[in-house]
Amino acid sequence: MRAAGNWISGLALFAYAAGFSFAYNTLSAGTGALLLFGAVQATMILWGFCKGERLRAIQVIGLLIAVIGLVVLVFPGLSAPPLIGSMLMLGAGVAWGVYSLRGKSVRDVTGSTAGNFYARFHLRHWSVSSCCRKCISTR
């Protein structure tokens, strides 16, 4: 039986997992979570705007309250997080947003998710094995 996922969603899942994993080498858990979830939401909201969706007044108010709350929450100890970790986490968030948007119209959620993890596994295996071959061949 063939899983119903696809390679594009598998690639998005791989980019999310890799970016997330490497970003936390330099970011604190709180900073990483704020960047990750902010990037996911921004990706999905911007995609909706590109597709002609508009926020209702109550949604705009909610978004403004969330942004103000975030600023108030982090303002006392505001400092710039490490650039590389931040970029990796933002990339992971965009990839998660893309993965979520691609899954929006899927009918067989379980089969599609299994197929996407299958594709991600092969992407990880390919990337790790090709990286190891490069490391070994340069010695």
mmCIF file of all heavy atoms in Angstrom, residues 24 26-37 89:
data_model
loop_
_atom_site.group_PDB
_atom_site.id
_atom_site.type_symbol
_atom_site.label_atom_id
_atom_site.label_comp_id
_atom_site.label_asym_id
_atom_site.label_seq_id
_atom_site.Cartn_x
_atom_site.Cartn_y
_atom_site.Cartn_z
ATOM 1 N N TYR A 24 17.744 25.461 17.642
ATOM 2 C CA TYR A 24 17.784 25.368 19.099
ATOM 3 C C TYR A 24 19.197 25.135 19.643
ATOM 4 O O TYR A 24 19.389 25.106 20.848
ATOM 5 C CB TYR A 24 16.810 24.319 19.626
ATOM 6 C CG TYR A 24 15.435 24.898 19.842
ATOM 7 C CD1 TYR A 24 14.315 24.318 19.263
ATOM 8 C CD2 TYR A 24 15.257 26.029 20.627
ATOM 9 C CE1 TYR A 24 13.056 24.861 19.473
ATOM 10 C CE2 TYR A 24 14.004 26.580 20.836
ATOM 11 C CZ TYR A 24 12.905 25.986 20.259
ATOM 12 O OH TYR A 24 11.663 26.532 20.469
ATOM 13 N N THR A 26 21.382 27.404 19.293
ATOM 14 C CA THR A 26 21.790 28.753 19.698
ATOM 15 C C THR A 26 20.682 29.576 20.341
ATOM 16 O O THR A 26 20.964 30.628 20.890
ATOM 17 C CB THR A 26 22.322 29.539 18.481
ATOM 18 O OG1 THR A 26 21.284 29.641 17.499
ATOM 19 C CG2 THR A 26 23.548 28.868 17.882
ATOM 20 N N LEU A 27 19.431 29.119 20.267
ATOM 21 C CA LEU A 27 18.311 29.898 20.798
ATOM 22 C C LEU A 27 17.783 29.304 22.097
ATOM 23 O O LEU A 27 17.821 28.088 22.294
ATOM 24 C CB LEU A 27 17.151 29.921 19.795
ATOM 25 C CG LEU A 27 17.380 30.602 18.463
ATOM 26 C CD1 LEU A 27 16.151 30.439 17.569
ATOM 27 C CD2 LEU A 27 17.707 32.071 18.649
ATOM 28 N N SER A 28 17.266 30.167 22.957
ATOM 29 C CA SER A 28 16.568 29.677 24.146
ATOM 30 C C SER A 28 15.200 29.155 23.713
ATOM 31 O O SER A 28 14.707 29.490 22.624
ATOM 32 C CB SER A 28 16.394 30.804 25.165
ATOM 33 O OG SER A 28 15.485 31.775 24.667
ATOM 34 N N ALA A 29 14.584 28.356 24.552
ATOM 35 C CA ALA A 29 13.286 27.768 24.216
ATOM 36 C C ALA A 29 12.227 28.843 23.985
ATOM 37 O O ALA A 29 11.442 28.762 23.032
ATOM 38 C CB ALA A 29 12.836 26.814 25.322
ATOM 39 N N GLY A 30 12.200 29.855 24.834
ATOM 40 C CA GLY A 30 11.194 30.912 24.700
ATOM 41 C C GLY A 30 11.369 31.712 23.424
ATOM 42 O O GLY A 30 10.406 31.963 22.698
ATOM 43 N N THR A 31 12.585 32.104 23.124
ATOM 44 C CA THR A 31 12.858 32.876 21.911
ATOM 45 C C THR A 31 12.530 32.051 20.674
ATOM 46 O O THR A 31 11.900 32.535 19.733
ATOM 47 C CB THR A 31 14.333 33.315 21.865
ATOM 48 O OG1 THR A 31 14.599 34.123 23.016
ATOM 49 C CG2 THR A 31 14.652 34.085 20.606
ATOM 50 N N GLY A 32 12.950 30.791 20.691
ATOM 51 C CA GLY A 32 12.671 29.916 19.555
ATOM 52 C C GLY A 32 11.181 29.744 19.318
ATOM 53 O O GLY A 32 10.715 29.799 18.179
ATOM 54 N N ALA A 33 10.433 29.550 20.395
ATOM 55 C CA ALA A 33 8.983 29.371 20.261
ATOM 56 C C ALA A 33 8.320 30.628 19.712
ATOM 57 O O ALA A 33 7.445 30.548 18.836
ATOM 58 C CB ALA A 33 8.379 28.990 21.606
ATOM 59 N N LEU A 34 8.726 31.789 20.189
ATOM 60 C CA LEU A 34 8.148 33.039 19.689
ATOM 61 C C LEU A 34 8.433 33.219 18.200
ATOM 62 O O LEU A 34 7.545 33.582 17.428
ATOM 63 C CB LEU A 34 8.697 34.237 20.470
ATOM 64 C CG LEU A 34 8.200 34.388 21.902
ATOM 65 C CD1 LEU A 34 8.963 35.504 22.612
ATOM 66 C CD2 LEU A 34 6.707 34.655 21.935
ATOM 67 N N LEU A 35 9.666 32.956 17.792
ATOM 68 C CA LEU A 35 10.012 33.085 16.382
ATOM 69 C C LEU A 35 9.278 32.056 15.526
ATOM 70 O O LEU A 35 8.741 32.384 14.462
ATOM 71 C CB LEU A 35 11.523 32.933 16.185
ATOM 72 C CG LEU A 35 12.395 34.055 16.728
ATOM 73 C CD1 LEU A 35 13.867 33.667 16.677
ATOM 74 C CD2 LEU A 35 12.153 35.344 15.966
ATOM 75 N N LEU A 36 9.243 30.816 15.996
ATOM 76 C CA LEU A 36 8.613 29.741 15.236
ATOM 77 C C LEU A 36 7.134 30.015 15.014
ATOM 78 O O LEU A 36 6.649 30.024 13.886
ATOM 79 C CB LEU A 36 8.808 28.408 15.953
ATOM 80 C CG LEU A 36 8.160 27.196 15.287
ATOM 81 C CD1 LEU A 36 8.893 26.855 13.999
ATOM 82 C CD2 LEU A 36 8.168 26.010 16.232
ATOM 83 N N PHE A 37 6.400 30.250 16.095
ATOM 84 C CA PHE A 37 4.959 30.408 15.962
ATOM 85 C C PHE A 37 4.596 31.710 15.262
ATOM 86 O O PHE A 37 3.608 31.773 14.529
ATOM 87 C CB PHE A 37 4.271 30.285 17.321
ATOM 88 C CG PHE A 37 4.396 28.898 17.887
ATOM 89 C CD1 PHE A 37 5.004 28.686 19.110
ATOM 90 C CD2 PHE A 37 3.943 27.802 17.187
ATOM 91 C CE1 PHE A 37 5.138 27.412 19.629
ATOM 92 C CE2 PHE A 37 4.077 26.517 17.685
ATOM 93 C CZ PHE A 37 4.672 26.318 18.912
ATOM 94 N N MET A 89 15.174 29.283 12.608
ATOM 95 C CA MET A 89 13.855 29.098 13.218
ATOM 96 C C MET A 89 12.767 29.760 12.384
ATOM 97 O O MET A 89 11.669 29.212 12.240
ATOM 98 C CB MET A 89 13.843 29.637 14.650
ATOM 99 C CG MET A 89 12.611 29.234 15.420
ATOM 100 S SD MET A 89 12.379 27.434 15.538
ATOM 101 C CE MET A 89 13.466 27.052 16.897
#
